Amino acid sequence: MITAVIGRTFLNAYNEKNRHDLSPKAFFETEYWELFYNHPKYMQWVTNSPFVQMKSGQKPHLLSIDQRKEKLENLFEKAKNEIPDASFALGYPASESKEYASTSGLVSNVVLPTDEDEVYLSWIGSGLGITVAGGFSILFDNPIITLQTFEGWKVYRKYLNDPTLKKLRGNQINTWNGRWLTYSLNSEEYREDFDFSELTNQKIFKVDTTLAEVSTVSWSQLFFSLSTQFPNKQMMGYVYGFGQTNKTIGFIPFQFKSGSLLKDVYKKLFGGVYLDHRQFERLFGMHIKRACELGSIGLQALRPESLKKYMTDGKNLSFKKEEDTINYQAYKTWLVAMLTRNKEEITDYTPKLAEVILRYRNAGKGMSRVTLVEKELFTSKSKRGFIESLTLMIPDLDGEDLESLKTLKDEVHLMTNEEFGYFLTLLKFDYAYQQKKS
């Protein structure tokens, strides 16, 4: 099963890095169990597993050391003597012989040989799952990512054991993994001397008067952080969800070079760094399930979710609110990237065209030119309608403005319908931006 594959990738990298030769069982007992379960607060809750099956009167936070060791021995006994099922081999099918109220996920109908090692590797792999907003988790079969995730386990355990953080929730290891990777791989944010207050300021933890918990990271933020580590790589990720109903999407390619492209386009268009890179990066990315339906998570999947209404409903940015500027920068960055993704040069000529159209609109009397530009040109559903509106503008223009619109007409004619949709939205945004400036 995929959890065991990821567990083996990690353990091989761990042993090589630390010059150890730990078996899966030895690592599970000395590292995994010690971090995850040998404490009053668990890091992971696995339904029906030996660690959550309590005898009468038992509570996880009240277990003695001997009682916790007894549950560990119960797992050892199952791994050695029983056919693996989801209650003690994570990612395996639920038992058909036991009436557990659970469903199966990550399951293959290919009969694979299993042994005791596979059970412990499945636990290790499950602990490396990365939960993102939308109710799904991701597994990457990559030693660098798994080792970095492991480093975060120790940080989460430190905070769970901190007596000043009694209200911090346990059992959030996979949610924590997403936050930890996003933070620790981002050179602009990460500091070696971080503390709980720093992570709260980074919105990694949500804290109120009764509860503190790890907040779920958006997949786009994780994507951007991983793209800094793997700027030109494609990596296969396994997307799934564990819960009352298990969900399996499957293997999806992640095109991390798309994150690098967006950053390059942003620098070309606006220079420097983001006004607020956390807010900026959160704007990107459709729902994780919709993104996976594209078959590959890359530039198209990174489309800002809120951009859709401007592309389909004819709406435009008004720049009446401060966040409209950040939205504009994110939308423009993505649209220019989509228009230039197959070209070596990043071109941005829509601001000049927007200036020409705005001059034309402002030079007219009455509402005829306003109607032509804003109610006909910018609401065109097709290239033909757009070109017809341009044709009506041409008699009233001369010089460079006339040449600009003639060139625009020729370029629109050569665009695909998809490119035209991106271009028209971008032109509308730059037109609204020029209005704001004037």
Side-chain angles (χ1 to χ4, degrees), residues 20 38 53 146-147 195 219 267:
H20 292 330
N38 194 20
Q53 291 177 342
T146 58
L147 285 171
D195 55 19
W219 72 261
K267 291 176 183 177

Side-chain angles (χ1 to χ4, degrees), residues 276-394:
D276 180 340
H277 88 85
R278 289 192 301 273
Q279 183 178 354
F280 183 81
E281 292 178 357
R282 277 198 301 268
L283 290 172
F284 290 94
M286 57 185 68
H287 189 283
I288 183 66
K289 187 176 181 181
R290 300 283 85 80
C292 290
E293 287 173 355
L294 295 173
S296 175
I297 293 185
L299 195 54
Q300 190 172 359
L302 285 164
R303 186 198 70 200
E305 186 68 28
S306 53
L307 175 59
K308 186 177 180 181
K309 61 186 175 185
Y310 298 107
M311 297 180 66
T312 58
D313 300 339
K315 294 184 178 181
N316 203 1
L317 286 169
S318 62
F319 292 97
K320 293 179 180 178
K321 299 176 289 186
E322 184 177 343
E323 61 262 30
D324 280 345
T325 298
I326 294 179
N327 290 342
Y328 164 72
Q329 292 184 344
Y331 298 160
K332 185 177 175 72
T333 297
W334 185 81
L335 288 164
V336 170
M338 288 298 290
L339 286 166
T340 61
R341 57 184 164 171
N342 296 321
K343 304 178 181 67
E344 293 184 5
E345 290 280 330
I346 296 172
T347 55
D348 181 32
Y349 56 93
T350 49
K352 293 181 179 179
L353 293 172
E355 289 177 10
V356 172
I357 296 171
L358 186 60
R359 279 197 297 271
Y360 167 83
R361 172 202 186 274
N362 291 341
K365 296 180 180 179
M367 294 295 293
S368 60
R369 292 192 180 187
V370 175
T371 300
L372 176 60
V373 170
E374 299 179 5
K375 304 298 183 183
E376 296 180 27
L377 183 74
F378 286 151
T379 59
S380 300
K381 301 296 185 183
S382 66
K383 295 189 295 179
R384 178 179 177 180
F386 185 82
I387 290 173
E388 287 175 352
S389 296
L390 285 180
T391 303
L392 294 175
M393 296 168 58
I394 285 176

Side-chain angles (χ1 to χ4, degrees), residues 16 50 169 218 271 283 287 337 436:
E16 181 179 349
R169 274 183 61 192
S218 69
L283 290 172
H287 189 283
K436 175 202 172 191

